[in-house]
Amino acid sequence: MMLTKLNYSLLCLLLSSPLALATSTAHEPLGKTLLAQGSIQAERSGAKQALKRLSPVYRTDVIRSGKDSSAQFRMIDDAYLDLYENSELRLHEYQFKADGQRGSVIMELISGGLRTISGAIGKQNKSDYQLKTPTATIGIRGTFYEVSLTKEGMYLAAWKGGITIKTHSGACNTALGIGQQANFAFVNRQGQCELLTEAPPIFTRKAPKPKANGTALALASDETTDPTHTVSKQEELPPDNSGGNGGNGGTDAGKPLARQAIIIKGQQVVKGSASQNTEGRPLLKVKGEVLTTRPQQVQQYSQPLSQFDVQWGRWANYQLVSGKEVPHQQGLMWISYQGTPKAILEQRSGSAHYHHLLASSAHSNLGEVSKLKVGMNIDFNSGKIAQGKISAEVPDHTWQGEFDGQLSAGDLTLNFQQGQLINHANQQTSSVNGSISGDFVGNFGQAIVGGFDMHQTNNPANYINGAFLIQQPDGN
């Protein structure tokens, strides 16, 4: 069922502190299920219970995923955990101490694989966090890591931060990740470690097996991706924002700026971050680079609907703050916004259709843009985005595009699939390539802000791009 404004107010009270569940007993949840794709069960007190979206998980649960199945969980300390198919995970302990400042985690991966970004507990002393496996115990401190158990042994990846590996046989006691020789390792059945200079294929090609509707947690912003990470975007977890994401608008390469952003430059639509606006010239940050422009280059600046805290604008030209040359320099469009809290989106269930256009700004080399339409269906239970369509009229032409996507852990990812440009003068139709991105805005995600670009495949000089703000028709 949809969240009403009253439900939202109650949720704010419950979720105002990310550590609201300060301590856990066997009868209190350790976390909740964000997505249960296929066969996901929890064995609890000798009984088996099927898990579905928003199902709680408890201490001593043994969670099992079947073939072609996967599950995602958000734990009480805001850690994210992605369990792969044919996996078995036991939750021994996951709790905060009485002071609410420290805690401990003990989990046991019995088979299969998982990937996780640690929460508050994992950012403390690594001795407070243990993942046990058949051959070793893994400790962490503020990290994004992955483990896969195979017939040959165990593969590990420290995508961000660091992990320690101590095998039960005593043959290996080493570390991976930041400040170490390698980010990847293999541990054989005898507990001997081999450091790997490249990501093993099991992480980059074979596992996990994401579904077409998206079953792996999605990375919210390209700018936080570790340069060693070679896994595709659809297979990534949300970023570790321990460095802070809402501060002073500084340009430190490790921190997003104060606001979220969608940026259209060239033929790409990407997510990044933006500083607080200064008359249409916020700093924009994408993949670690900070962009800016001069006052005379601002072509457009508007705040379409203040209740959604959205701003957008166009620049005729831009430059990098670092002084690095911009190849094939051309203008861009930016969209700056404050997104809906992910904790709110994780509580939503049911499905919703977003298609009521509240505001837009589009430009095409083929003339004035009119009748822009954007719509999509979102199933909050499965995370599937379907029936995504975008169209617009320009003189003697119609642009049309189709897209789909996924919603995982509150992060919205849209994927342009195909499009066409219809020439009404000669009734000819040509193919179109494109890119699209969007995010939820509003107190409970009742609207979506986004940016798009479409260009003719055989003549990329013909293009249309812009920004849109759409809402559920009833606004709920």
Side-chain angles (χ1 to χ4, degrees):
M1 59 185 293
M2 306 291 179
L3 280 179
T4 64
K5 294 180 181 178
L6 177 59
N7 289 337
Y8 163 72
S9 299
L10 292 174
L11 278 170
C12 282
L13 290 173
L14 292 171
L15 300 171
S16 58
S17 170
L19 306 182
L21 299 172
T23 60
S24 293
T25 70
H27 304 292
E28 294 179 334
L30 303 185
K32 63 185 175 186
T33 309
L34 298 183
L35 188 66
Q37 184 76 37
S39 174
I40 308 296
Q41 290 186 333
E43 183 177 327
R44 185 176 302 149
S45 301
K48 295 180 180 179
Q49 179 176 336
L51 296 180
K52 58 183 181 179
R53 177 173 165 80
L54 302 184
S55 293
V57 292
Y58 298 89
R59 184 167 63 85
T60 73
D61 276 3
V62 179
I63 303 171
R64 296 185 177 94
S65 61
K67 183 180 180 182
D68 296 328
S69 303
S70 63
Q72 303 163 9
F73 305 93
R74 183 181 188 227
M75 308 308 285
I76 58 172
D77 67 336
D78 280 342
Y80 287 89
L81 190 152
D82 192 352
L83 189 68
Y84 298 146
E85 68 171 345
N86 296 323
S87 297
E88 185 173 344
L89 178 70
R90 184 186 298 274
L91 302 177
H92 287 284
E93 181 178 310
Y94 211 116
Q95 65 179 2
F96 286 105
K97 298 188 186 304
D99 60 8
Q101 302 298 315
R102 293 173 58 83
S104 59
V105 172
I106 301 177
M107 299 186 294
E108 182 181 2
L109 182 64
I110 301 168
S111 62
L114 63 77
R115 181 171 6 187
T116 181
I117 284 181
S118 59
I121 296 174
K123 294 176 175 64
Q124 302 163 3
N125 192 305
K126 62 178 179 290
S127 63
D128 293 331
Y129 184 109
Q130 294 183 7
L131 175 69
K132 297 180 179 294
T133 73
T135 55
T137 297
I138 298 166
I140 70 166
R141 183 178 176 87
T143 196
F144 172 9
Y145 75 98
E146 186 169 5
V147 181
S148 182
L149 304 180
T150 69
K151 294 180 180 180
E152 298 78 24
M154 176 174 63
Y155 290 91
L156 300 106
W159 298 117
K160 189 174 183 180
I163 64 176
T164 60
I165 308 164
K166 186 175 183 180
T167 60
H168 306 323
S169 68
C172 176
N173 188 352
T174 189
L176 298 178
I178 187 168
Q180 305 301 320
Q181 296 180 7
N183 290 80
F184 313 101
F186 172 72
V187 181
N188 64 23
R189 291 292 185 180
Q190 291 71 46
Q192 298 168 323
C193 294
E194 177 187 358
L195 298 182
L196 306 176
T197 58
E198 296 182 354
I202 196 165
F203 293 141
T204 59
R205 294 197 298 269
K206 297 179 181 179
K209 296 180 179 179
K211 304 297 179 186
N213 65 345
T215 63
L217 299 172
L219 187 66
S221 170
D222 287 335
E223 69 190 11
T224 58
T225 307
D226 191 291
T228 64
H229 196 163
T230 57
V231 182
S232 68
K233 183 181 178 70
Q234 284 189 334
E235 297 176 0
E236 296 178 36
L237 286 160
D240 177 2
N241 288 325
S242 58
N245 64 354
N248 53 20
T251 61
D252 176 48
K255 298 180 181 179
L257 300 175
R259 296 167 60 85
Q260 295 159 277
I262 295 171
I263 299 157
I264 308 167
K265 58 187 183 75
Q267 297 175 352
Q268 290 189 327
V269 184
V270 295
K271 287 186 178 180
S273 59
S275 69
Q276 298 292 344
N277 179 64
T278 53
E279 297 303 317
R281 295 189 299 122
L283 294 177
L284 304 175
K285 189 173 182 182
V286 185
K287 297 180 180 179
E289 283 285 6
V290 181
L291 315 178
T292 187
T293 195
R294 297 181 297 276
Q296 60 269 31
Q297 298 296 327
V298 177
Q299 294 180 313
Q300 174 198 354
Y301 165 58
S302 61
Q303 303 180 66
L305 288 173
S306 59
Q307 67 264 39
F308 290 112
D309 195 6
V310 172
Q311 304 168 354
W312 57 49
R314 286 184 182 272
W315 296 344
N317 231 326
Y318 68 94
Q319 61 265 2
L320 306 184
V321 170
S322 65
K324 182 179 177 182
E325 182 180 356
V326 180
H328 310 294
Q329 186 170 350
Q330 54 183 304
L332 60 73
M333 183 168 193
W334 57 270
I335 305 161
S336 170
Y337 60 95
Q338 290 288 359
T340 303
K342 290 180 174 55
I344 298 297
L345 296 171
E346 290 170 4
Q347 301 300 315
R348 293 198 57 169
S349 59
S351 60
H353 185 50
Y354 292 78
H355 66 89
H356 179 59
L357 187 68
L358 298 174
S360 66
S361 174
H363 180 269
S364 173
N365 70 304
L366 297 177
E368 184 177 357
V369 179
S370 63
K371 299 181 180 178
L372 178 68
K373 297 180 181 179
V374 186
M376 69 189 82
N377 287 334
I378 299 182
D379 186 332
F380 287 93
N381 295 329
S382 68
K384 183 178 181 180
I385 286 82
Q387 298 181 25
K389 295 184 178 181
I390 183 168
S391 64
E393 302 288 334
V394 294
D396 300 322
H397 292 80
T398 299
W399 292 92
Q400 295 178 342
E402 298 179 5
F403 61 92
D404 59 16
Q406 64 187 44
L407 173 64
S408 298
D411 293 315
L412 181 64
T413 300
L414 303 178
N415 305 308
F416 191 91
Q417 295 298 326
Q418 60 183 352
Q420 60 182 0
L421 178 61
I422 304 171
N423 187 329
H424 299 298
N426 57 22
Q427 300 303 312
Q428 291 184 348
T429 299
S430 55
S431 65
V432 163
N433 294 327
S435 180
I436 187 167
S437 184
D439 213 343
F440 289 94
V441 291
N443 292 338
F444 49 94
Q446 67 268 42
I448 293 175
V449 65
F452 71 95
D453 174 88
M454 292 189 285
H455 52 275
Q456 191 176 15
T457 304
N458 59 7
N459 186 7
N462 291 331
Y463 73 92
I464 183 174
N465 63 32
F468 59 85
L469 181 62
I470 57 176
Q471 182 177 270
Q472 299 171 240
D474 58 3
N476 294 317

